[in-house]
Amino acid sequence: MIDDQYKIPKLAITQWNTDNYKTIDVRSPKEFTEFALPNSVNIPIFNNQEREKVGTVYKRNGKDEAIKLGLKLFSEKIPFFYEAILKLKEEVPNKELVVVCARGGLRSSSLVSTLNMVGIHSFQLQGGIRSYREFIVAKLQKYTSRKKRFHVISGNTGTKKTAALHCLKREGYPVIDLEDLAGHRGSAFGKIGMKAKSQKQFEALLVNELERFDTSAYFIIEAESKRIGNIVLPDFILSGKKSGVRIELEAPLEERVNHLLETYQPAKHHQEILEAFQIIKKRMQGHIGIEIEQLLLTEDYETAFEMLLTNYYDPKYTYTALQKTQITHHLTVTNLSETIEEIKNIISSSEIQQRIK
């Protein structure tokens, strides 16, 4: 489709894919970090400060003055854009270029018209990143009406639930790793060593995983609360967790402590551990919180983590587990490989029973 007024080639989000198109996102780095199309590259027309400046001029002096400033900033960077995009085109010679901004407005149209004028054919994504967001929301809504069974890996903190999920996923099982998609482990310490995603980015990644396993009769997830850090899980996943087959992993306290030490690497993240603990400390009995804090300060992480499990995480988990009414299979984790085989047997048996019904 061609815009008759500006002669800008347009591409609808329903036509876009990563196989045929290389996406150039011209929004500011801040916008790009929050939410972006898969495999897109950020070549911003304005940096974060410039975008803020253009917005301020718009509010104070009106649209025309903001456009003048924007065009000035853009024109000064045209040689840079030309070189960067020529290099990108060399890297993906068999793909068409599609340029995206926030709403399919001036930023993307300016670059597309300039590129086509100098002989580099490109498209403008119609509706911009907003059209992609609407596309994701619509797809996510589709899954609310799908009837999928859930197998839920649960257990106290440190029982290697995530490790089990990773093993199953490597073997091709339909695992939806919610913590990985969120970039957060779900606890007060959850963001340590991870890069948290925005809600929009999480939902886009989630849709990709749901579509990847669309033909599967079931999903495998870890038992999560409604929130993982700042991410809110969709209701259909929470409902699936509540009604699904629960596989409860159990492990000796010492092994759980060692697993947490390996996962969080407290010596490497000492200050982050201390800061995260302040959130938990407020919810604990005063003398216990003070003792754990002192252990962390003196870098006795093993004792500190053991006290955190026995005085905070375990009682909290036990209370929540008592509210569960679904079918539960209990597995003691001694050897992870053997545990994985037991999980696979439980899933296989449950699925056979479902087919018989």
Side-chain angles (χ1 to χ4, degrees):
M1 180 168 59
I2 304 293
D3 187 308
D4 291 330
Q5 184 177 359
Y6 299 105
K7 303 296 182 184
I8 295 175
K10 306 263 187 180
L11 187 77
I13 189 62
T14 51
Q15 298 172 292
W16 173 89
N17 60 67
T18 55
D19 293 331
N20 300 321
Y21 299 97
K22 185 61 183 178
T23 306
I24 301 167
D25 193 320
V26 296
R27 296 175 301 150
S28 67
K30 183 178 178 181
E31 293 172 284
F32 181 78
T33 299
E34 181 187 0
F35 181 53
L37 285 147
N39 299 326
S40 56
V41 59
N42 188 211
I43 305 179
I45 284 182
F46 306 136
N47 61 34
N48 295 334
Q49 293 74 27
E50 289 169 341
R51 178 174 175 257
E52 187 175 339
K53 186 175 181 180
V54 170
T56 300
V57 169
Y58 182 89
K59 291 177 183 177
R60 291 179 179 174
N61 304 321
K63 181 179 178 180
D64 290 343
E65 290 300 314
I67 290 175
K68 287 180 185 178
L69 175 60
L71 288 174
K72 178 178 181 297
L73 294 169
F74 170 67
S75 62
E76 292 171 351
K77 299 178 185 179
I78 287 177
F80 163 76
F81 291 134
Y82 181 70
E83 290 183 14
I85 292 167
L86 271 183
K87 183 179 179 181
L88 182 64
K89 188 64 178 170
E90 289 175 1
E91 294 172 359
V92 287
N94 299 320
K95 291 188 179 184
E96 295 272 18
L97 300 180
V98 57
V99 182
V100 59
C101 64
R103 298 178 179 83
L106 281 173
R107 284 185 286 181
S108 56
S109 63
S110 297
L111 185 58
V112 169
S113 59
T114 301
L115 291 176
N116 285 316
M117 184 174 62
V118 297
I120 302 176
H121 185 263
S122 60
F123 294 92
Q124 179 190 39
L125 185 68
Q126 195 170 25
I129 200 72
R130 174 181 283 185
S131 68
Y132 179 57
R133 173 62 180 161
E134 292 170 350
F135 186 66
I136 291 299
V137 170
K139 285 197 169 189
L140 200 56
Q141 182 62 32
K142 178 183 74 174
Y143 282 94
T144 64
S145 58
R146 291 281 184 89
K147 297 297 181 185
K148 291 273 191 178
R149 296 187 294 277
F150 282 76
H151 295 275
V152 185
I153 309 297
S154 61
N156 272 307
T157 301
T159 51
K160 301 185 180 181
K161 300 183 293 293
T162 301
L165 286 178
H166 289 175
C167 290
L168 290 167
K169 190 165 189 175
R170 283 195 295 270
E171 293 190 33
Y173 279 79
V175 171
I176 308 294
D177 189 343
L178 298 167
E179 291 184 356
D180 182 60
L181 300 182
H184 197 287
R185 295 188 184 91
S187 69
F189 301 99
K191 66 180 181 180
I192 295 173
M194 300 188 78
K195 187 176 180 181
K197 307 292 197 309
S198 69
Q199 183 74 32
K200 292 177 182 178
Q201 199 70 31
F202 168 79
E203 290 177 359
L205 293 169
L206 176 59
V207 164
N208 288 341
E209 290 296 276
L210 293 172
E211 292 193 323
R212 177 183 174 189
F213 299 119
D214 190 57
T215 58
S216 174
Y218 64 92
F219 294 133
I220 305 171
I221 63 170
E222 184 175 338
E224 303 287 353
S225 59
K226 186 175 179 64
R227 285 183 176 272
I228 304 177
N230 292 323
I231 300 301
V232 179
L233 295 182
D235 287 340
F236 76 90
I237 287 183
L238 294 172
S239 297
K241 181 194 78 170
K242 187 176 180 180
S243 61
V245 175
R246 191 167 163 223
I247 303 172
E248 180 87 6
L249 303 187
E250 300 166 351
L253 180 61
E254 182 181 354
E255 289 187 19
R256 292 165 55 207
V257 170
N258 289 335
H259 180 64
L260 292 177
L261 290 171
E262 291 174 9
T263 300
Y264 288 100
Q265 302 179 52
K268 181 179 178 181
H269 301 287
H270 177 78
Q271 190 58 38
E272 293 168 89
I273 293 283
L274 282 173
E275 291 172 2
F277 175 69
Q278 299 309 312
I279 299 170
I280 296 174
K281 185 182 176 183
K282 299 173 185 176
R283 306 168 188 164
M284 303 182 75
Q285 293 182 19
H287 68 285
I288 295 175
I290 292 170
E291 185 176 350
I292 294 174
E293 184 175 37
Q294 189 59 38
L295 289 166
L296 292 173
L297 286 168
T298 57
E299 300 184 15
D300 185 354
Y301 301 117
E302 185 174 347
T303 308
F305 277 27
E306 182 176 327
M307 287 191 67
L308 271 169
L309 290 178
T310 56
N311 290 279
Y312 181 74
Y313 283 109
D314 286 4
K316 186 179 177 183
Y317 182 79
T318 298
Y319 174 79
T320 303
L322 289 173
Q323 319 304 314
K324 309 297 182 186
T325 57
Q326 73 243 64
I327 298 171
T328 303
H329 301 268
H330 294 267
L331 295 179
T332 299
V333 181
T334 50
N335 179 287
L336 185 59
S337 296
E338 292 177 2
T339 301
I340 297 303
E341 291 304 313
E342 291 183 72
I343 291 173
K344 287 156 64 174
N345 288 337
I346 291 170
I347 291 172
S348 177
S349 177
S350 297
E351 288 304 305
I352 290 171
Q353 290 177 24
Q354 284 291 336
R355 287 194 289 272
I356 291 173
K357 290 179 182 179

